[in-house]
Amino acid sequence: MYKQVNQKAWLLVLPVVVLVAFNAIIPLMTVVNYSVQETFGDNVFFWAGVDWFQQILNSPRFHDALLRQLLFSAIILAIEVPLGLIIALAMPRKGIGVSICLILMALPLLIPWNVVGAMWNIFALPEIGLLGKGLNNLGFDYNYTRQPVTAWFTTVLMDVWHWTSLVVLLCYAGLVSIPDDYYRAAKIDGASAWAVFRYIQLPKLKRVLTIAVLLRFMDSFMIYTEVKVLTGGGPGNATTFLSIDLDKMALGQFDLGPAAAMSLIYFLIILLLSWLFYTLMMRNEAQ
Amino acid sequence: MTLELRHVTKSVAGETHIFETDLVLEEGSFNVLLGTTLSGKTTLLQLMAGLDRPSRGEIWFRGQNVTGMAVQKRNVSMVYQQFINYPHLTVYENIASPLKVAGMDRAEIERRVGAVAELLRLKPMLGRKPAELSGGQQQRTAIARALVKDSDLVLLDEPLANLDYKLREELRDELPRLFAGRSCIVVYATTEPTEALLFGGNTATLHEGRITQFGPTGTIYRQPKDLISAQVFSDPPLNVAQVTKQGSRIHLAGGIGFDLGTAAVTLPDGPYTWAIRAHHITPESHPGQPTLDGRVLLAELTGSDSVIHFHLDGGTWISQSHGVHPFDVGAEARLYVDVARSFLFGADGRLMGGSE
């Protein structure tokens, strides 16, 4: 028996290779290309080496944006994960309520991101928006277009509204998959509701929560569209997160070299942090 | 100390899961609930445990009506088909959990957990987590949790069904020993007639939400009250045929007839349902026994047993015999029928004559 070498198989892989090349490899290599060169347009390039990377890593502007980004992700995780878990625990397990809750929960996830931004932009306007006008009528001095703190408040609120559902749905799926017998066994043991949560539900949700934290971390770290539409990074630079900063640099100032270097650094930070999160949580699991 | 179900029924959303049931279980007894999947075993166990409330009727325990009493106050323990343990607690902590909840002091907990772990051969695994144990050890841990409490009522819901063959046999042999000398009432739900026979004690045959018969296991096996009880208590399935009786002879379809002997003569002639368990139809020759000639549909050789499905006058019959009896599918087979061990049921399904 001879093994037939069939080169035609390559043809079958070709469509995927072309697709991946055009949507991932080629754009990424273009960015790498820009990040090590200087250009003044007209397709004239000069070799710049690691200059752009040094410049970005040393720039206070980048440091500020990174800090804002980290703070934002930390706040988002601290609110959305516990809140999502609580909502999931409170959701009904049987009957018509299940479908209603699931649909309500899924709604924010189905709305296009720029629409979410536009909705909250109008909703929070101090002169006409329900939230903005309402808060001012209640006596709060609220104007997200001028005050950094209220701009943050609005951005966080928007993200919580938009994405807590994802955590809820993940946790709910995890909860539903716990067999009834566990609850019966706990009941027979005389375990309290807290003990059921602490010793059955939480351990059984560990994997799901790991995924929820990872997804919410990555997405909040890359938040762009909603903030772009809501505040545009303002007031001042108050909500200029990494992605907004990158956008300003690349499309506002056309500093293609530094912008390319920054996006690669940005990419590596996300990769590194995600790896760290994952490894830490999985090591916990192994113990 | 007895557990009594008085006129207990359970229906959910207009559908009756348990029809009116009266049952008395004695102190220190081992009771098997035998029935197919969905026959109502789990529902009945949950009613006994107090995890579910009967729709009608009362449950009495130690002469006290416990119908509405919360399960936590009843000193009940239960083992499930799935291995239910706290996933991130060690085996020791798992076994100790019901005692901790009860607020027992540490030295006593340690003593009791030690004793139960010894009994269930879990001593070397006390420091491990459930995920690091084999299925058999996980289920041993769950059983240990049930035993450590010294419950008055221990309910086991198909505890061996998820174990592989060898572990199942091993734990099956140990179970009666675990409960020997305890005063608790044990209820063991299973789909397998062999388990009921192995454990002895009492058996209740359950069919579509009704207890068809309850009594000492041997009696029920040898003298089922009706056709359904006999069918529930037969594996492989009972061979059943519609017959006409004349004198001591019964006539099956296709001109086959058997002589049932003098015992049958006293019964009125007419139509009956005749039934015989598979292991009384065997390929080994027995002089004097009547024979059936059928065509082999399927021959399952399970190592110690041969189960042969054969075709005879439009019906499928099953023979079970010790040893290996290879048959080719489609071949003609001659089988010997031990008619003395067959049953005769009346038109209403009640046992009229015969015994195992």
Side-chain angles (χ1 to χ4, degrees), chain A residues 31 246 258-268:
Chain A
V31 172
L246 181 62
M262 182 176 163
S263 48
L264 285 177
I265 294 168
Y266 193 5
F267 167 67
L268 289 176

Side-chain angles (χ1 to χ4, degrees), chain A residues 5-26:
Chain A
V5 178
N6 190 348
Q7 300 289 358
K8 277 182 203 151
W10 290 107
L11 281 176
L12 299 175
V13 191
L14 195 64
V16 179
V17 172
V18 169
L19 203 70
V20 173
F22 272 95
N23 81 38
I25 301 171
I26 295 175

Side-chain angles (χ1 to χ4, degrees), chain A residues 6 33 53 118 249:
Chain A
N6 190 348
N33 195 32
F53 289 92
M249 195 183 284

Side-chain angles (χ1 to χ4, degrees), chain A residues 178-201:
Chain A
I178 300 174
D180 280 346
D181 285 348
Y182 275 92
Y183 297 112
R184 295 199 192 109
K187 216 170 161 186
I188 285 180
D189 277 359
S192 62
W194 165 250
V196 170
F197 173 71
R198 172 76 184 75
Y199 295 108
I200 297 174
Q201 289 170 326

Side-chain angles (χ1 to χ4, degrees), chain A residues 178-192 195-196 198-204 206 284-287, chain B residues 42 46 49-51 71-72 76-78 80-89 94 97-98 101-102 129 132 145 149:
Chain A
I178 300 174
D180 280 346
D181 285 348
Y182 275 92
Y183 297 112
R184 295 199 192 109
K187 216 170 161 186
I188 285 180
D189 277 359
S192 62
V196 170
R198 172 76 184 75
Y199 295 108
I200 297 174
Q201 289 170 326
L202 206 54
K204 287 263 164 197
K206 206 166 181 182
N284 239 335
E285 177 116 324
Q287 275 172 359
Chain B
T42 302
Q46 287 185 30
L51 285 165
V71 61
Q72 296 92 320
V76 175
S77 48
M78 193 154 175
Y80 303 85
Q81 180 176 343
Q82 303 202 47
F83 316 135
I84 307 283
N85 294 303
Y86 296 108
H88 74 303
L89 298 183
N94 259 292
S97 63
V101 171
K129 298 243 171 97
E132 299 159 354
R145 275 196 19 239
K149 257 169 91 179

Side-chain angles (χ1 to χ4, degrees), chain A residues 29-64:
Chain A
M29 292 326 289
T30 312
V31 172
V32 172
N33 195 32
Y34 275 116
S35 73
V36 291
Q37 300 189 72
E38 163 99 271
T39 175
F40 302 108
D42 291 337
N43 266 338
V44 186
F45 289 95
F46 303 96
W47 176 253
V50 293
D51 287 359
W52 299 135
F53 289 92
Q54 280 174 341
Q55 187 187 319
I56 291 293
L57 287 172
N58 290 321
S59 86
R61 176 178 157 182
F62 176 75
H63 295 166
D64 291 348

Side-chain angles (χ1 to χ4, degrees), chain B residues 30-48:
Chain B
F30 196 106
N31 307 280
V32 178
L33 271 183
L34 180 63
T36 51
T37 320
L38 294 179
S39 61
K41 299 187 299 292
T42 302
T43 311
L44 210 51
L45 288 181
Q46 287 185 30
L47 289 171
M48 290 176 181

